[in-house]
């Protein structure tokens, strides 16, 4: 796995900066379990690292799982709950993965200190550890969240969609207290992972009922996508979101947007919209990508995302198992 050696020196600075940010998390703080379950974070990190080294697709899977949790009624692990009408049954959540890694981490933490660490915190820590395992420096995650008691499929309509315009994406992020720069930064998580052809095949053959492909797709890149996703072919086939760098958390995703090689329509819209394009541009530099700027801003945005509508104190509960309430 590629290691960004030029980022090692600033790691100490990152820790200081993001520790200071934790004062913003109501009821959450770095080291929340220091007295009650001091090995919790180490256990989660160990489970996540082992899983990703066995199967690299767990990294984007866990990151997406965390994102889909926080965007629906806050970061409360409601996406982990089973049920015939739970969030997991929503079409937007049909390809979520990584549940078994969170379950494994929870089981090990419960053995160490039963009834202490929430599934919401385990998911937040696992999302950070997944990103670190793919190339970014470590940052501190505030903990102290409680687990939610409700999970409804209809609430998943709040999630950003793969066909959303830049304006719609901006509105959905703003509803969660996240600004436009944080939107562009967090969507950079698409630098790892894949998407099913079903999410973008409409762009390749009959975009907006024109009987032609989306004109914003690079003409040299179009045959590549059409080969992977033939018209009327298997729409479950998965395609790299960041061509050429799917397992490394870097800024090549933004460079691909500039070149017209964004896979999802929603991603491409970030380049074609004048406001978001300026923010995408900040992560693109001539020669070596501006990885340090991206790393710092992504970590900062993840800390803020992890604070969305959290439940603390006497709210919610600490689940004994993550897929059902106590």
């Amino acid at each position: 796995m590629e290691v960004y050696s030029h980022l090692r020196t600033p790691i100490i600075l990152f820790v200081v900066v993001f520790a200071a940010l934790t004062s913003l998390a109501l009821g959450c703080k770095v080291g929340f379990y220091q007295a009650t379950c001091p090995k919790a974070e180490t256990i989660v990190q160990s489970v996540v690292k082992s899983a990703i080294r066995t199967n690299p697709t767990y990294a984007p899977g866990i990151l997406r799982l965390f994102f889909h949790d926080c965007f629906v009624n806050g970061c409360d692990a409601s996406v982990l709950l089973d049920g015939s009408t739970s969030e997991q049954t929503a079409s937007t959540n049909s390809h979520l993965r990584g549940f078994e890694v969170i379950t494994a981490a929870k089981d090990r933490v419960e053995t160490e200190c039963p009834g202490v660490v929430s599934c919401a915190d385990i998911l937040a820590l696992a999302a950070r550890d997944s990103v670190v395992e793919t190339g970014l420096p470590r940052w501190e995650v505030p903990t102290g969240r409680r687990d939610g008691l409700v999970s409804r499929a209809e609430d998943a309509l709040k999630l950003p969609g793969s066909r959303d315009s830049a304006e719609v994406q901006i509105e959905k992020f703003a509803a969660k207290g996240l600004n436009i720069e944080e939107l562009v930064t967090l969507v950079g998580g698409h630098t790892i992972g894949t998407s099913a052809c079903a999410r973008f095949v409409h762009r390749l053959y009959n975009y907006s009922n024109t009987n032609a492909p989306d004109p914003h797709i690079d003409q040299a890149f179009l045959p590549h996508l059409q080969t992977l996703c033939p018209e009327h072919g298997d729409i479950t086939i998965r395609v790299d979101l960041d061509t050429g760098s799917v397992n490394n958390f870097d800024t090549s995703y933004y460079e691909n947007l500039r070149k017209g090689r964004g896979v999802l329509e929603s991603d491409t819209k970030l380049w074609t919209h004048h406001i978001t394009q300026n923010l995408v541009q900040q992560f693109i530099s001539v020669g070596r990508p501006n990885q340090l700027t991206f790393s710092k801003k992504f970590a900062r945005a993840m800390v803020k995302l992890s604070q969305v509508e959290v439940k603390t104190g006497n709210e919610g509960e600490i689940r004994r198992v993550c897929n059902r309430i106590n």
Side-chain angles (χ1 to χ4, degrees):
M1 182 174 295
E2 182 178 358
V3 176
Y4 297 100
S5 59
H6 62 288
L7 296 178
R8 292 171 183 162
T9 302
I11 290 178
I12 295 176
L13 174 61
F14 290 168
V15 171
V16 173
V17 170
F18 296 119
L21 282 174
T22 61
S23 62
L24 299 175
L26 299 176
C28 294
K29 65 178 182 178
V30 170
F32 182 86
Y33 299 109
Q34 188 59 47
T36 57
C37 192
K39 295 182 180 179
E41 293 200 27
T42 301
I43 291 172
V44 174
Q45 181 185 40
S46 174
V47 171
V48 170
K49 179 180 293 189
S50 177
I52 292 174
R53 291 185 175 179
T54 300
N55 185 348
T57 66
Y58 276 131
I62 294 169
L63 178 60
R64 185 168 179 244
L65 195 59
F66 172 69
F67 184 89
H68 280 228
D69 180 49
C70 291
F71 249 82
V72 182
N73 301 326
C75 305
D76 66 351
S78 58
V79 75
L80 303 180
L81 289 172
D82 291 339
S84 59
T85 59
S86 72
E87 291 170 34
Q88 292 181 32
T89 66
S91 60
T92 51
N93 289 333
S94 60
H95 296 293
L96 290 179
R97 56 177 286 115
F99 294 98
E100 58 268 49
V101 180
I102 306 304
T103 296
K106 174 66 170 176
D107 289 346
R108 284 189 53 185
V109 170
E110 283 293 301
T111 299
E112 178 71 22
C113 35
V116 174
V117 182
S118 69
C119 297
D121 277 340
I122 289 173
L123 181 53
L125 293 167
R128 184 272 313 277
D129 294 336
S130 296
V131 172
V132 170
E133 195 62 23
T134 53
L136 258 62
R138 186 179 185 276
W139 67 88
E140 298 291 352
V141 174
T143 46
R145 298 166 190 78
R146 304 266 291 180
D147 297 322
L149 302 173
V150 176
S151 182
R152 297 181 294 255
E154 61 265 28
D155 291 340
L157 295 174
K158 302 171 186 177
L159 285 161
S162 58
R163 299 192 187 194
D164 285 350
S165 66
E167 291 85 357
V168 169
Q169 293 180 71
I170 290 169
E171 289 174 3
K172 289 182 177 179
F173 274 72
K176 298 299 176 182
L178 299 164
N179 63 35
I180 302 176
E181 181 176 68
E182 288 156 349
L183 153 65
V184 173
T185 302
L186 288 169
V187 174
H190 287 169
T191 185
I192 56 175
T194 61
S195 174
C197 291
R199 301 291 185 189
F200 63 88
V201 70
H202 68 282
R203 305 183 65 204
L204 308 183
Y205 302 98
N206 185 26
Y207 180 66
S208 297
N209 297 316
T210 61
N211 291 318
D214 185 342
H216 294 109
I217 300 176
D218 173 34
Q219 290 302 298
F221 185 56
L222 180 62
H224 169 73
L225 293 180
Q226 290 176 327
T227 298
L228 294 172
C229 302
E231 191 171 17
H232 311 305
D234 184 355
I235 61 174
T236 65
I237 292 172
R238 303 195 68 82
V239 175
D240 295 349
L241 288 172
D242 185 8
T243 303
S245 185
V246 68
N247 292 321
N248 294 320
F249 214 100
D250 55 30
T251 58
S252 61
Y253 160 81
Y254 298 104
E255 180 64 21
N256 277 330
L257 293 189
R258 185 186 69 80
K259 292 178 178 178
R261 298 192 169 198
V263 174
L264 299 178
E265 183 176 359
S266 56
D267 289 356
T268 297
K269 295 295 186 185
L270 296 181
W271 179 254
T272 59
H273 189 279
H274 67 285
I275 294 177
T276 50
Q277 183 184 102
N278 290 336
L279 295 168
V280 170
Q281 190 70 47
Q282 71 179 318
F283 298 131
I284 302 172
S285 60
V286 177
R288 191 168 75 182
N290 197 348
Q291 179 70 27
L292 178 58
T293 297
F294 175 53
S295 298
K296 292 170 63 177
K297 291 189 175 183
F298 189 84
R300 190 189 307 272
M302 282 287 284
V303 170
K304 189 171 179 180
L305 174 63
S306 75
Q307 299 165 9
V308 170
E309 301 169 23
V310 295
K311 296 168 179 61
T312 58
N314 294 322
E315 300 175 297
E317 64 180 9
I318 304 297
R319 289 183 212 146
R320 288 189 289 272
V321 293
C322 290
N323 65 338
R324 63 178 184 269
I325 61 175
N326 295 339

